[in-house]
Amino acid sequence: MLPISVCLIAKNEEKHIDECLKRLQPYEFEIVLADTGSTDRTVELARKYTGRIYHFDWNGDFSAAKNFAMQKASHDWILSLDCDEYAEVIDQKTLRKCMESYPRYAGRILIRNRFTQDGQTSYEQVRVSRFINRRYFHFEGVVHEQLVPITASDHRNTAPDAAPVKYVYSAPITILHVGYDGTEDEMREKSKRNITLLEKELETHGADPYIYYQLGQSYRKLHDFETAFRYLDLGLSMDVDPALDYVQNMVESYGYTLLDLKRNQDALGLLDIYDEFATRADFVFLIGLIYMNNGFLDQAINEFKKATTMEEFAVEGVNNYKAYYNIGVIYECTGYAREAIASYRKCGDYLPAKVRIQQLS
């Protein structure tokens, strides 16, 4: 058994807590739960899996709650999860080697975010620093908190997700995040809560590209694209490192926001940074959409085809069925039905493509 404590914070998580902890049982990790005031069956359900349950008086600071949970752990090695995150794969043999090789580094686990788009279940994957030794890291940030090296905790850009690659490594842990499965009203309330906390943090710490990025993402979820654009533009106007994951995401969100605002010609400006950001299929796919929305159809097809050759991606489908679908749409709209059907057939079980095949056959 590895000396690892899984630390969670919870408030009224009866919908998720049982499945979350049940998925952890086979690994025999210690489980530590900091409850911030549940009034449902969260604590009762958690007691089936652990006796290390502690109350934390909620103060509006997610980092404070997560640091409290880590302090209550018996082990220094911490895997930090949320209750709506379910373990899918944890390679303990490889993880042990990582613990031996990278004691002072942050392990970035793979999180698969499940969401519904156009009536279809989709997945977005992202690596986030969540596995660390608590002697060297703690959380900072009242919301969208990040693990920060303790010795440099006064400087946000030293956070593992915003640090040079040498300070992080890919941990052999895959987690399914189901938090986006809630109702539209639940998602809106969550976004509004996050905006309140982020704006308060902005007032306290001043201009910060990461906070601007998170505010932009929150407003996008509310479909307030004008405000989202303003914050994303502020973030990208600052000195940011293109190699950082959140910067890549911010650039792509910026591009999609311009398309949502029908500012298609402005979106062509992203071609100026193509060489810096065309390192994964998501950006190349976005450029395909930008060309498509501006009527440059040959260029759009070329970008979508390029996306299908790329292995690195965040949003599922951008390097396969979604790219082929858009190629099919272009062929169909320009009168090439046979070529459109051939592209749609490459989309597998993607429902919109199957519908188009039926219409064209």
Side-chain angles (χ1 to χ4, degrees):
M1 185 178 69
L2 295 177
I4 293 172
S5 296
V6 179
C7 293
L8 309 98
I9 64 172
K11 182 178 181 180
N12 295 336
E13 290 284 358
E14 67 178 8
K15 179 179 177 181
H16 299 297
I17 191 73
D18 191 73
E19 182 67 18
C20 174
L21 300 187
K22 182 169 64 176
R23 296 254 194 138
L24 291 169
Q25 262 194 318
Y27 303 104
E28 299 184 336
F29 299 146
E30 176 184 70
I31 295 173
V32 179
L33 178 70
D35 186 80
T36 63
S38 293
T39 55
D40 63 1
R41 298 175 59 234
T42 295
V43 173
E44 174 190 343
L45 293 170
R47 285 200 182 103
K48 295 193 300 181
Y49 304 94
T50 180
R52 303 188 73 86
I53 301 174
Y54 304 92
H55 175 75
F56 179 81
D57 288 327
W58 180 242
N59 60 359
D61 188 332
F62 282 90
S63 286
K66 290 192 173 184
N67 288 331
F68 171 81
M70 287 203 297
Q71 291 166 7
K72 294 296 184 180
S74 300
H75 305 301
D76 285 332
W77 285 99
I78 305 293
L79 173 59
S80 179
L81 296 179
D82 292 332
C83 294
D84 57 7
E85 294 176 341
Y86 305 157
E88 288 192 315
V89 179
I90 301 179
D91 182 343
Q92 295 194 76
K93 183 177 180 180
T94 303
L95 189 58
R96 183 183 295 277
K97 293 179 181 177
C98 291
M99 294 163 65
E100 295 170 353
S101 301
Y102 308 112
R104 293 175 178 264
Y105 290 18
R108 301 171 79 236
I109 69 175
L110 183 68
I111 295 183
R112 299 198 315 126
N113 295 307
R114 187 173 72 193
F115 61 98
T116 301
Q117 186 177 54
D118 301 326
Q120 298 278 302
T121 298
S122 298
Y123 296 87
E124 177 184 23
Q125 61 181 35
V126 61
R127 282 203 174 270
V128 181
S129 296
R130 293 285 195 84
F131 182 65
I132 47 87
N133 189 306
R134 67 179 175 185
R135 290 179 295 171
Y136 309 115
F137 293 87
H138 68 175
F139 280 100
E140 283 194 356
V142 296
V143 64
H144 294 299
E145 57 286 347
Q146 293 195 78
L147 284 161
V148 177
I150 291 174
T151 54
S153 60
D154 60 336
H155 196 288
R156 174 176 292 276
N157 284 335
T158 59
D161 290 325
V165 175
K166 66 180 181 178
Y167 296 121
V168 298
Y169 65 93
S170 295
I173 300 172
T174 301
I175 301 294
L176 174 65
H177 175 225
V178 300
Y180 298 137
D181 288 352
T183 66
E184 187 173 337
D185 286 343
E186 288 173 340
M187 295 297 99
R188 288 182 65 84
E189 288 306 310
K190 186 175 182 180
S191 294
K192 289 178 180 178
R193 178 207 66 189
N194 289 347
I195 286 169
T196 299
L197 295 172
L198 285 164
E199 288 178 340
K200 186 182 298 183
E201 189 167 14
L202 197 61
E203 290 177 8
T204 303
H205 297 285
D208 184 291
Y210 183 75
I211 298 178
Y212 286 143
Y213 159 66
Q214 293 293 357
L215 279 165
Q217 295 294 75
S218 294
Y219 277 106
R220 276 189 59 78
K221 290 172 184 174
L222 294 176
H223 292 177
D224 183 349
F225 299 119
E226 288 286 358
T227 306
F229 172 79
R230 180 163 59 85
Y231 280 118
L232 294 170
D233 191 53
L234 283 169
L236 291 173
S237 70
M238 301 182 71
D239 185 19
V240 291
D241 184 351
L244 304 180
D245 285 350
Y246 89 86
V247 175
Q248 180 97 31
N249 293 335
M250 182 158 54
V251 167
E252 291 162 6
S253 292
Y254 178 85
Y256 279 107
T257 302
L258 285 172
L259 294 181
D260 289 326
L261 292 170
K262 309 302 181 185
R263 293 174 58 178
N264 298 330
Q265 286 189 320
D266 291 338
L268 287 169
L270 290 182
L271 292 173
D272 294 338
I273 56 173
Y274 187 93
D275 291 340
E276 284 182 294
F277 288 93
T279 56
R280 69 181 188 184
D282 303 77
F283 183 82
V284 174
F285 179 87
L286 169 62
I287 295 299
L289 288 178
I290 292 171
Y291 275 136
M292 191 174 175
N293 278 270
N294 280 281
F296 301 131
L297 303 184
D298 289 339
Q299 293 92 325
I301 288 174
N302 288 337
E303 292 302 314
F304 290 134
K305 285 182 176 179
K306 180 179 177 180
T308 65
T309 68
M310 304 179 74
E311 294 184 3
E312 288 292 320
F313 70 95
V315 178
E316 182 185 75
V318 294
N319 63 341
N320 45 64
Y321 64 88
K322 290 182 179 178
Y324 286 123
Y325 178 77
N326 282 322
I327 293 172
V329 169
I330 293 173
Y331 282 137
E332 183 180 352
C333 291
T334 52
Y336 294 93
R338 181 165 41 175
E339 289 81 357
I341 291 173
S343 291
Y344 290 142
R345 282 177 174 159
K346 293 179 180 179
C347 298
D349 292 330
Y350 188 48
L351 184 58
K354 294 173 76 173
V355 171
R356 297 313 310 147
I357 292 172
Q358 289 180 344
Q359 293 290 325
L360 291 172
S361 299

